[in-house]
Amino acid sequence: MIFIGLTLMGVVSYKQLDVELFPNAQAPYLVVQVSAQTEVDPGYMEKQAIIPLEGAIGGLPGIEELTSTAAQRRGMLYVSYTPNTDLKYAQLKLQERIDEVRKTLPESFTITVQKVDLEQMANQVMSLEVRGSGGANRVRQLADEKIVKRIENIDGIAGVTIFGGQEKTLEITLNKDACDAYGVTPYQVRNAISQNGRDRTYVGNVYAGNQVHFVHVSSDYTDPREIENLVIKEQGPVLLKDLASVYFGVKEQTSYSRVNGMESVTMTLVADAQVNVIDLSESVKGVVVQLNKELKPLELEIKIQDNTAEVMKKNIDEIVNLAITGGLLAIFILWIFLKKIRLVLSIALSIPISVYVAFNIFYAAGITINSLTLVGMALAIGMLVDNSVVVLENVYRHASRREPPDLAVVQGTKEVWRSVFASTLTTVMVFMPFIFSDNYLVRILGANIGISIVSTLMISMMVALVLIPMLTHLILKKRPNDTPGVFEKIHLHQRLIQVYMLFLKSSLRNPAVTVIGGLVIFFISLFGALAVSTNTLKEAETREISLAITMPQGTTLDNTDIAVRILEERLMDLAEKEEIVTETQEAQATVRITLVEKYQKIKDRKLPEIKSDIERRIQDIPLIEYEFQQFSTSGGFSGGGGGSSAGMPETGGLEQFMGIGVQQEKVLIKGQDFNLMKAVAEDIQYYLEDLSTIQSVSLGVQDNRPEVRMDFNTREMGERNVALNSVMSELSSFPTEFSTGVTFKEGEEEYDILIK
């Protein structure tokens, strides 16, 4: 009854456990991001923002390493903490210190503190491609109106983000002549809008008797007339409608997305943290099928591009099938030796009981069902029956001597319980050091695989020492005359027994030779393991090829798109391709080529040959640089040297840690002279590219971009009482389009307010 109860509890625990591909983990890092409203010199970013922040952050407790990078629009500080640091508390202290320093930094910088949360990264469950006629703007408008709400209403969807096309905004188009006449700058207009429109903001307390009431101010823009009647200048007064017109418009397009040359938009779906991703995927697919029927008259189609649940389900099903197959083979081997189905079934019971009871420990420890835990259980299944076989064999050895069932069971279990306990404990102890590792990825590995193996083995030991003796006693009690003849059949005249006895006697007579021979075999195995690499250069056969395209720094979006269109045309007649998805931004693009199933049979070509064909087709396109990527991520760009993340902790490296994907190494160059470091890096890159084992080398340094420099006369500025921050603020309003940082709310919709 105890085992039945624990097993039923395990079934309930199993249904409550989350299912995911890889375990979630909170990396011991915090990231401070500094964003500039306009492009600035990296040196200015470093002196005005990065160095002051480093000085303020450096004294906080628990910090192990502080790394920073500076670029034209963004600076990053990566704060690495010691393993036992409470990150929630550390984030609060870091935010407090940032708030203190923020007042001394230029107003054009925006500073945010972010947590490297692998759980949030893993919540992106699906990517949908919305395709149709009439251009990307029409497709996006219909997606906003017909699709987004339906997807958001699915239970378990936390958010939907659309990429591609032009986003709706509330536009404020300034009249330059009117602004000049009233002496009003675009920066003053932006300040007036941002200061009058605020979300819920705490401003103080009101004391009424014995109670304290919090006072919050909310000022949302819900009517365009509110914005038109804003006072921009007190003298007059000058209202915004005197200077500009306010109407709904669209943002300037910053990216292009196409599928097989046809305009499209991409929808990214984010799941709730507690939802079952596989069940959610089935719900989304059902809604997509229904939407495709409704949108067919509008010449619109939704296609699932990336589905994390499919990969997750496929991997988990494969592991489960392998575990079941291994368990059945183990049971079959037992039947060959025991020849009694009742005994085999009694031992086979230890597998499901151990697995389901272990799910209770999973639930208590907060461990999910993922690839690592399933691999651990698959490894443990082969060992689950070992303890039961040892106990059963010894009990039946006593029973074969015609001992009563009570005595055979008690004596047989009593003789081997120490050996069973010791063998189980030695396996458990192997995973103990993982708990004390400083590397959080190693701890993840130890926690998931270790707990799955340890829990199932400990339960199997209890099954072997309690349940198996009881079942064996029942079998012997019901059939007292059915003696286990299998033990009587084993005698010294069998060939295998004779060979074994020969080796055993030889080892006992020559202990020195046996020990030396064992050491020789050990060292031969050790040298063989060191000689053979644990990784392989063989490329994984996948149906997706990803190309990272980079253009010279400063290349406009339209010019980048022209090059990408040429590339699309050259790949369109590739025999094995199913579809080509391109995502283009300024100076960079991602091209994903999905191959048809069983593509090898079309022209009898493998993946490296197809890649060579693609390379031959695109290598003479002017100005582009390309790099094949083994694993692509939706909307991401990698390679090419632009926007490098040098110094960033490798938080998403679980696949790389486990040896999955392309093998990468990083060379870090330190020094004081940036130009000298860059020259050394280029030399190293040149030599590495000549190595036959190197597929590609990318330099984590941004190329010089074309720029206009403004050198100010600080003495003149001092005499005229003009602050540099004021000049920077005015310059930030020079682009033809810039955001006010405030949103306009109309019902459930929110629109950015732009000034043009």
Side-chain angles (χ1 to χ4, degrees), residues 540-655:
E541 291 282 338
T542 64
R543 287 182 54 219
E544 186 174 289
I545 300 173
S546 181
L547 277 170
I549 305 297
T550 55
M551 302 281 287
Q553 289 289 340
T555 305
T556 62
L557 175 64
D558 290 335
N559 286 336
T560 305
D561 189 53
I562 291 172
V564 173
R565 285 182 183 274
I566 296 173
L567 184 144
E568 286 176 330
E569 292 175 1
R570 297 191 179 184
L571 296 180
M572 214 44 92
D573 60 345
L574 188 69
E576 293 87 352
K577 68 97 179 164
E578 179 178 346
E579 64 180 17
I580 300 174
V581 180
T582 60
E583 297 174 3
T584 308
Q585 294 182 352
E586 288 185 358
Q588 56 186 3
T590 294
V591 180
R592 289 184 294 169
I593 306 157
T594 303
L595 306 178
V596 297
E597 291 188 14
K598 299 180 180 179
Y599 60 87
Q600 299 94 336
K601 296 183 179 180
I602 295 178
K603 296 183 70 174
D604 194 24
R605 296 194 299 182
K606 294 185 178 180
L607 194 64
E609 295 173 309
I610 297 174
K611 283 188 173 183
S612 298
D613 186 17
I614 293 172
E615 196 168 7
R616 178 183 56 80
R617 292 167 181 254
I618 67 175
Q619 62 184 357
D620 61 340
I621 299 177
L623 301 179
I624 75 164
E625 295 182 4
Y626 59 88
E627 180 181 358
F628 285 103
Q629 301 293 310
Q630 183 73 17
F631 289 93
S632 62
T633 55
S634 298
F637 296 93
S638 59
S644 170
S645 58
M648 180 178 180
E650 295 180 7
T651 56
L654 186 58
E655 291 95 338

Side-chain angles (χ1 to χ4, degrees), residues 58-124:
L60 291 174
I63 293 181
E64 187 174 57
E65 187 178 32
L66 181 60
T67 309
S68 62
T69 63
Q72 284 96 341
R73 274 190 176 272
R74 187 175 64 179
M76 306 288 285
L77 289 89
Y78 305 99
V79 188
S80 172
Y81 287 88
T82 53
N84 297 324
T85 303
D86 184 349
L87 278 186
K88 292 183 179 179
Y89 177 75
Q91 186 174 3
L92 290 174
K93 297 298 292 183
L94 180 62
Q95 187 66 59
E96 287 180 3
R97 192 64 59 89
I98 294 297
D99 291 339
E100 294 175 3
V101 182
R102 195 192 308 269
K103 303 172 185 177
T104 64
L105 302 181
E107 295 180 1
S108 58
F109 288 140
T110 303
I111 306 169
T112 56
V113 179
Q114 301 171 350
K115 182 172 64 174
V116 182
D117 195 341
L118 300 185
E119 181 176 354
Q120 293 180 358
M121 295 179 184
N123 281 353
Q124 182 175 315

Side-chain angles (χ1 to χ4, degrees), residues 22-70:
F22 290 115
N24 292 324
Q26 182 174 287
Y29 307 106
L30 292 175
V31 179
V32 180
Q33 179 174 314
V34 184
S35 302
Q37 295 173 357
T38 58
E39 290 195 359
V40 298
D41 183 81
Y44 178 82
M45 171 73 73
E46 181 186 27
K47 292 178 182 178
Q48 298 296 323
I50 300 298
I51 292 177
L53 288 172
E54 284 180 337
I57 296 172
L60 291 174
I63 293 181
E64 187 174 57
E65 187 178 32
L66 181 60
T67 309
S68 62
T69 63

Side-chain angles (χ1 to χ4, degrees), residues 462-747:
M462 297 303 299
V463 170
L465 296 178
V466 179
L467 185 63
I468 294 299
M470 183 195 70
L471 294 175
T472 310
H473 183 270
L474 287 176
I475 296 172
L476 294 175
K477 199 80 171 175
K478 287 183 179 180
R479 293 176 176 265
N481 297 324
D482 187 10
T483 58
V486 65
F487 296 102
E488 297 174 356
K489 294 178 183 178
I490 299 178
H491 49 78
L492 295 178
H493 296 293
Q494 290 186 355
R495 181 61 58 87
L496 286 176
I497 298 297
Q498 291 176 344
V499 173
Y500 167 70
M501 293 300 294
L502 178 63
F503 275 105
L504 180 61
K505 290 180 179 179
S506 299
S507 300
L508 293 175
R509 290 168 181 168
N510 304 285
V513 175
T514 303
V515 172
I516 294 173
L519 290 174
V520 170
I521 294 174
F522 168 74
F523 283 110
I524 291 175
S525 303
L526 181 62
F527 288 129
L530 294 175
V532 178
S533 173
T534 55
N535 293 314
T536 175
L537 294 177
K538 182 179 179 181
E539 187 171 15
E541 291 282 338
T542 64
R543 287 182 54 219
E544 186 174 289
I545 300 173
S546 181
L547 277 170
I549 305 297
T550 55
M551 302 281 287
Q553 289 289 340
T555 305
T556 62
L557 175 64
D558 290 335
N559 286 336
T560 305
D561 189 53
I562 291 172
V564 173
R565 285 182 183 274
I566 296 173
L567 184 144
E568 286 176 330
E569 292 175 1
R570 297 191 179 184
L571 296 180
M572 214 44 92
D573 60 345
L574 188 69
E576 293 87 352
K577 68 97 179 164
E578 179 178 346
E579 64 180 17
I580 300 174
V581 180
T582 60
E583 297 174 3
T584 308
Q585 294 182 352
E586 288 185 358
Q588 56 186 3
T590 294
V591 180
R592 289 184 294 169
I593 306 157
T594 303
L595 306 178
V596 297
E597 291 188 14
K598 299 180 180 179
Y599 60 87
Q600 299 94 336
K601 296 183 179 180
I602 295 178
K603 296 183 70 174
D604 194 24
R605 296 194 299 182
K606 294 185 178 180
L607 194 64
E609 295 173 309
I610 297 174
K611 283 188 173 183
S612 298
D613 186 17
I614 293 172
E615 196 168 7
R616 178 183 56 80
R617 292 167 181 254
I618 67 175
Q619 62 184 357
D620 61 340
I621 299 177
L623 301 179
I624 75 164
E625 295 182 4
Y626 59 88
E627 180 181 358
F628 285 103
Q629 301 293 310
Q630 183 73 17
F631 289 93
S632 62
T633 55
S634 298
F637 296 93
S638 59
S644 170
S645 58
M648 180 178 180
E650 295 180 7
T651 56
L654 186 58
E655 291 95 338
Q656 184 178 352
F657 173 77
M658 297 180 66
I660 302 174
V662 175
Q663 302 154 48
Q664 297 180 345
E665 296 291 345
K666 181 184 291 185
V667 178
L668 184 63
I669 301 171
K670 299 180 180 181
Q672 298 295 326
D673 189 333
F674 179 77
N675 292 327
L676 178 59
M677 288 191 293
K678 184 178 178 182
V680 171
E682 290 172 348
D683 289 342
I684 294 176
Q685 180 184 20
Y686 172 77
Y687 289 119
L688 290 178
E689 287 175 339
D690 284 342
L691 296 178
S692 59
T693 55
I694 299 295
Q695 179 180 342
S696 61
V697 182
S698 60
L699 191 61
V701 180
Q702 288 186 332
D703 296 332
N704 292 328
R705 297 190 58 170
E707 64 182 15
V708 175
R709 290 181 177 269
M710 296 185 180
D711 296 324
F712 292 96
N713 188 324
T714 53
R715 178 179 177 183
E716 187 78 12
M717 292 175 68
E719 292 177 354
R720 296 179 181 271
N721 197 26
V722 177
L724 183 60
N725 287 345
S726 300
V727 177
M728 289 291 297
S729 300
E730 292 292 347
L731 288 174
S732 67
S733 64
F734 266 48
T736 56
E737 175 183 295
F738 57 93
S739 175
T740 60
V742 184
T743 57
F744 176 82
K745 297 183 179 179
E746 185 180 49

Side-chain angles (χ1 to χ4, degrees), residues 236-302:
V238 179
L239 305 181
L240 181 60
K241 62 184 179 182
D242 300 328
L243 306 170
S245 56
V246 181
Y247 57 90
F248 283 99
V250 291
K251 278 186 179 180
E252 183 180 349
Q253 195 161 352
T254 58
S255 65
Y256 294 117
S257 179
R258 285 189 298 274
V259 178
N260 289 337
M262 186 168 59
E263 297 285 352
S264 67
V265 298
T266 303
M267 300 176 63
T268 301
L269 278 54
V270 178
D272 289 329
Q274 305 301 323
V275 74
N276 187 308
V277 176
I278 295 177
D279 292 341
L280 177 62
S281 170
E282 296 300 322
S283 301
V284 173
K285 286 194 285 188
V287 173
V288 167
V289 171
Q290 184 63 33
L291 283 171
N292 278 330
K293 294 178 181 178
E294 298 174 9
L295 297 172
K296 191 173 182 180
L298 299 175
E299 297 181 351
L300 213 64
E301 179 191 13
I302 307 172

